[in-house]
Amino acid sequence: GKNQGRDLQPYLSNLCVDESFRGKGIGRALVRCVENIAASTWGYKRIYLHVDPDNDAALSLYKSEGYRDVGFRWNPFWAGKAPQIGYFVKNLGT
């Protein structure tokens, strides 16, 4: 339902496209779909995500879609071997 003023925020997580289908705009379409739901259906003004700064394809996608880097979380337990994870946000314009 609509955002009722709670402190919750939407978080894009675990977006993945099979290697054989990459480069066809599927990832971009998925990102835009999630953003549309967060803004239009749920009423949020921002969306957040984490991305491995060594994942050039994902980083390029998110930056080209208007996500901005707001700082890093170093060595989070859930990041596996990644030394740091980039924290990004996008204003949804609602």
Side-chain angles (χ1 to χ4, degrees):
K2 290 275 185 188
N3 177 8
Q4 300 296 318
R6 295 169 278 172
D7 290 334
L8 303 174
Q9 293 295 323
Y11 179 81
L12 176 58
S13 176
N14 299 323
L15 179 71
C16 183
V17 175
D18 185 276
E19 286 183 35
S20 62
F21 292 99
R22 291 181 186 161
K24 300 177 189 287
I26 296 170
R28 187 172 311 277
L30 289 170
V31 168
R32 290 178 180 178
C33 180
V34 168
E35 292 170 355
N36 185 51
I37 292 168
S40 299
T41 303
W42 297 341
Y44 286 99
K45 296 180 180 180
R46 285 178 297 285
I47 189 167
Y48 298 86
L49 61 82
H50 283 95
V51 63
D52 180 345
D54 293 332
N55 186 339
D56 293 330
L59 200 55
S60 176
L61 168 64
Y62 298 135
K63 285 183 176 181
S64 73
E65 286 298 309
Y67 286 82
R68 61 183 173 81
D69 189 348
V70 293
F72 285 98
R73 300 211 188 262
W74 287 266
N75 299 317
F77 72 90
W78 46 263
K81 296 179 182 179
Q84 56 180 275
I85 298 295
Y87 188 52
F88 286 72
V89 63
K90 178 178 180 179
N91 290 324
L92 297 173
T94 58

